[in-house]
Amino acid sequence: MNLEKIIFKEEYKLSEIKIKVLGNYAPNLRSIKNYPCSGYYIKGLKKIVVLDLGMGVLPRLLKELSTNNKDIYDVVIILSHNHIDHSFDMIPLSMYLLVKKALKRNKNTHLKVYLPKRSLMYTYIKIFSKIFDVYIINEDTTFFIDEYKFSFCQTEHRGECYATKIEKNDINFIYTSDMAYVSRKLKQFCQNSICTLIDSGHPNKDSAKTLPGYHGKTQDVIEDLIDCGVKRILASHIKASLKEEDYLKVFPNDYDVLLTKIDDEYKIF
């Protein structure tokens, strides 16, 4: 283990902030139950923050809340973009909240949702103003939970898509969400991040294996982030058709890169 990893792990012990993987797959034709799409549950703040709510994530979120004796209204949801593998379960969530509201007859229960305006999901959620408080995210958006600041950077991806930064005292965690490549703007946004959760893209160097404008190459993404000083990388948004080894073989041996696994927890500060 190199000195950089040792220093990171010593700093790492100082924080209680963790992220639990509820779903980490790209769109797939396999069982959503076993291969849920993007969804990440952040623990340790006064509010539970959920980054994306893709297909198959909602049942896992509700189970996690029940296990920790938490209520759905303790949650703040941030949707990086409109694509169904990042936002679809907002639809069953809306049905769940409508039933919950009807049974409780409570007019003052709203769930906070942050998302880009240029999306069909934004239009859908706005219909349900009785159950959602809707906030638009763009590159000027900032807000705080406890002393942690949230900010956003648009990524190069088909559709309006944003990376999310959570920071305190010049230490930050970033979730890139989807990207065709690491743009110069995203490099600046991720500079010296203590931990960054990435869209892994595709580990194969063959360009025919990727859709232009959607997801980049695993090795390129990792190398670009290493160059801008990211201390630790959590690789996610993996393809169900590939094996774990397909990704691991392009990870650098001398750097702290982990392939995320569903239900695992990772300290992020």
Side-chain angles (χ1 to χ4, degrees):
M1 183 179 295
N2 63 31
L3 181 59
E4 188 175 58
K5 287 186 180 181
I6 294 171
I7 292 172
F8 175 84
K9 291 186 176 181
E10 286 303 312
E11 292 176 343
Y12 203 42
K13 294 176 182 178
L14 300 177
S15 178
E16 298 289 333
I17 310 300
K18 298 180 180 179
I19 190 166
K20 182 166 184 175
V21 178
L22 302 179
N24 64 345
Y25 284 94
N28 62 84
L29 298 178
R30 296 192 176 191
S31 165
I32 291 300
K33 180 179 179 181
N34 296 320
Y35 297 90
C37 296
S38 296
Y40 308 94
Y41 179 110
I42 297 179
K43 301 179 176 182
L45 302 174
K46 287 181 181 177
K47 286 284 188 179
I48 295 160
V49 176
V50 174
L51 301 173
D52 284 341
L53 202 72
M55 295 178 295
V57 172
L58 180 59
R60 292 173 178 270
L61 171 59
L62 295 178
K63 180 180 178 181
E64 187 68 21
L65 292 172
S66 177
T67 299
N68 291 282
N69 196 29
K70 298 291 185 180
D71 190 85
I72 188 66
Y73 298 107
D74 293 326
V75 173
V76 174
I77 294 176
I78 299 173
L79 300 179
S80 61
H81 63 297
N82 182 64
H83 292 164
I84 60 175
D85 54 319
H86 294 260
S87 67
F88 181 84
D89 272 15
M90 291 300 298
I91 297 174
L93 174 60
S94 66
M95 301 300 107
Y96 172 83
L97 292 177
L98 286 172
V99 171
K100 191 176 178 71
K101 184 177 182 68
L103 291 175
K104 287 195 169 185
R105 301 182 184 278
N106 189 336
K107 297 181 180 179
N108 297 315
T109 49
H110 287 73
L111 191 151
K112 285 187 177 181
V113 182
Y114 291 81
L115 76 166
K117 187 173 184 178
R118 295 199 303 271
S119 73
L120 290 174
M121 191 54 70
Y122 174 81
T123 303
Y124 176 84
I125 292 173
K126 284 291 286 183
I127 296 170
F128 297 97
S129 59
K130 292 182 179 180
I131 55 174
F132 293 121
D133 283 335
V134 183
Y135 299 86
I136 297 169
I137 62 173
N138 55 44
E139 291 188 335
D140 295 322
T141 303
T142 60
F143 62 90
F144 286 82
I145 297 178
D146 303 343
E147 300 86 13
Y148 291 85
K149 179 182 177 182
F150 288 70
S151 58
F152 304 90
C153 174
Q154 189 165 3
T155 65
E156 296 295 331
H157 186 61
R158 292 292 177 91
E160 188 182 11
C161 180
Y162 289 91
T164 300
K165 179 187 289 185
I166 307 173
E167 61 184 318
K168 179 182 178 182
N169 299 334
D170 296 324
I171 298 175
N172 67 70
F173 161 79
I174 292 165
Y175 167 49
T176 67
S177 190
D178 290 357
M179 56 189 166
Y181 59 91
V182 182
S183 66
R184 180 166 60 179
K185 183 165 57 176
L186 186 59
K187 286 180 182 178
Q188 292 174 344
F189 191 69
C190 294
Q191 192 166 16
N192 299 320
S193 167
I194 195 167
C195 183
T196 296
L197 173 66
I198 67 167
D199 161 20
S200 297
H202 202 294
N204 195 309
K205 294 185 178 181
D206 183 359
S207 60
K209 296 288 185 179
T210 64
L211 293 173
Y214 284 88
H215 307 281
K217 307 289 175 43
T218 308
Q219 190 168 358
D220 292 345
V221 168
I222 290 173
E223 288 178 353
D224 284 344
L225 290 174
I226 289 173
D227 287 345
C228 64
V230 171
K231 304 296 187 298
R232 187 176 196 240
I233 296 172
L234 302 177
S236 195
H237 203 260
I238 60 180
K239 296 181 180 295
S241 59
L242 299 179
K243 297 178 180 178
E244 183 176 309
E245 292 75 19
D246 294 322
Y247 289 93
L248 296 178
K249 68 184 179 183
V250 299
F251 288 179
N253 294 323
D254 60 346
Y255 212 79
D256 199 351
V257 183
L258 293 177
L259 191 65
T260 62
K261 295 183 179 180
I262 291 176
D263 293 329
D264 279 3
E265 293 186 6
Y266 305 88
K267 290 184 180 179
I268 59 173
F269 281 94

